[in-house]
Amino acid sequence: MADLLDFGTTGPAPDFDGWSCPLPLRDQPRIVLGHGGGGVLSAELVQHIFAPAYGNPVLDQLGDAATVTLGGARLAFSTDSYVVRPLFFPGGSIGDLAVNGTVNDLAMTGARAAYLSCGFILEEGVETSVVARVAQAVGAAARAAGVEIATGDTKVVESGHGDGIYLNTAGIGLIPAGVDLRPQRARPGDVVIVSGDIGVHGVAVMSVREGLEFGVDIRSDCAALGGLVQAMLDVTPTPDLHVLRDPTRGGLAAALNEIASAAGVGVVLQERSIPVPAPVANACAILGLDPLYVANEGKLVAFVPRAGAERVLAAMRAHPLGAGSAVIGECVDEHHGMVVARTGLGGTRVVDLPIGEQLPRIC
């Protein structure tokens, strides 16, 4: 196991402080698809429009879910909307995404998800059989995740003003005493672990949407991660698990950049250690995509102090949803707020926050 934790970072590290890369002008008088992609445009929308309008200490956490105290209990609270196209894809559907996505946002705070709301926005003309199929998927995913759909809403928009079905889910869960998982807790020396193959969901959706054939069946990794998180907490003294994040929109690259920025640390990845399955790598090569920026819906990334990394990694690998877990990098006290990757050829490249979105409408 020791070799997994040896990043070969002896010797002088590249000095990235002060580096800057020219970016295209992003001042937009109108909303573009990239504003929903989880990258720079999304961050600017939050920073310049929503945060000033809503600003409060709870919102300022800007995590996967907000943590609040109510009646003496610590709760996690999250909401998300799903506009995936097509509605059904290999390995899942918009219904599975709506449940698992919100459950996972709660789980990234260490919370045990309890209740969800579910709002259906239906386009006039959509077949009732399709609505029923999605509703059944929502119910099945909720039962599998151990949560209840406690309330809901339905709206209908005119034909041509929707995309069949949009879903919104919100969820609440209880955070166990002593658990403190948030991006600001990343520390130099932390080991970065990912729970398995990346890029699978985005490529699965793209393959059916565009009618592409890659020679193999690529299925979405959509899953509820509450059980995996609990397995990690069970073997870790609660102060010693620092950060969990599910790398959805913007992929692994966006999640790591957000953590590095929030904590004011640098992240160094070992590119060869990042688990990218051959079908995903081949599909990305054909489409001109970088797997680090492709969305996932059943994976998490963890920042763990080095002293406990072997124990956490073993617990993850013992769980069905973490069998492919791998150490992919470390947190450093250099190039603060920046993520870099050491390539297989011995070079180093900057892994920046994406501007918009490589694959729109995948979650």
Side-chain angles (χ1 to χ4, degrees), residues 126-195:
V126 67
E127 296 87 349
T128 54
S129 61
V130 172
V131 178
R133 187 178 169 191
V134 172
Q136 289 163 4
V138 168
R143 288 187 290 272
V147 298
E148 295 182 1
I149 307 296
T151 187
D153 182 49
T154 305
K155 293 292 187 295
V156 178
V157 298
E158 295 89 347
S159 178
H161 290 76
D163 206 8
I165 299 174
Y166 298 150
L167 293 183
N168 173 272
T169 48
I172 57 173
L174 186 65
I175 303 174
V179 173
D180 184 16
L181 300 174
R182 47 193 170 90
Q184 294 81 2
R185 293 197 66 218
R187 296 289 183 270
D190 282 357
V191 172
V192 182
I193 304 174
V194 69
S195 64

Side-chain angles (χ1 to χ4, degrees), residues 25-43:
L25 183 64
R26 296 192 300 273
D27 292 333
Q28 296 281 350
R30 298 179 185 275
I31 295 297
V32 298
L33 280 176
H35 281 110
V40 172
L41 292 179
S42 292

Side-chain angles (χ1 to χ4, degrees), residues 61-309:
Q61 298 171 19
L62 293 180
D64 284 326
T67 59
V68 299
T69 300
L70 187 63
R74 290 180 66 222
L75 302 176
F77 180 34
S78 183
T79 187
D80 211 340
S81 299
Y82 298 85
V83 296
V84 65
R85 179 170 57 85
L87 299 176
F88 305 95
F89 45 83
S93 71
I94 191 172
D96 301 287
L97 288 180
V99 171
N100 293 338
T102 297
V103 166
N104 291 345
D105 283 346
L106 299 174
M108 295 307 105
T109 69
R112 295 167 184 156
Y115 299 102
L116 301 183
S117 69
C118 186
F120 274 68
I121 301 173
L122 308 176
E123 183 182 11
E124 181 183 23
V126 67
E127 296 87 349
T128 54
S129 61
V130 172
V131 178
R133 187 178 169 191
V134 172
Q136 289 163 4
V138 168
R143 288 187 290 272
V147 298
E148 295 182 1
I149 307 296
T151 187
D153 182 49
T154 305
K155 293 292 187 295
V156 178
V157 298
E158 295 89 347
S159 178
H161 290 76
D163 206 8
I165 299 174
Y166 298 150
L167 293 183
N168 173 272
T169 48
I172 57 173
L174 186 65
I175 303 174
V179 173
D180 184 16
L181 300 174
R182 47 193 170 90
Q184 294 81 2
R185 293 197 66 218
R187 296 289 183 270
D190 282 357
V191 172
V192 182
I193 304 174
V194 69
S195 64
D197 291 341
I198 67 166
V200 178
H201 171 72
V203 171
V205 173
M206 177 60 73
S207 67
V208 292
R209 187 165 69 206
E210 304 300 335
L212 301 174
E213 296 288 343
F214 298 119
V216 294
D217 182 23
I218 302 176
R219 301 180 64 79
S220 170
D221 58 357
C222 183
L225 298 172
L228 175 60
V229 171
Q230 187 59 53
M232 298 167 70
L233 291 173
D234 285 345
V235 301
T236 309
T238 49
D240 290 340
L241 189 58
H242 286 167
V243 186
L244 296 180
R245 203 70 183 251
D246 57 336
T248 52
R249 292 182 305 167
L252 185 63
L256 293 175
N257 271 279
E258 289 167 358
I259 294 168
S261 177
V265 297
V267 175
V268 177
L269 303 177
Q270 297 298 320
E271 201 164 54
R272 283 183 170 177
S273 299
I274 300 172
V276 181
V280 170
N282 293 338
C284 287
I286 293 170
L287 298 171
L289 304 176
D290 184 338
L292 292 180
Y293 294 92
V294 177
N296 313 272
E297 286 291 349
K299 298 296 185 295
L300 64 79
V301 61
F303 281 59
V304 186
R306 183 176 294 274

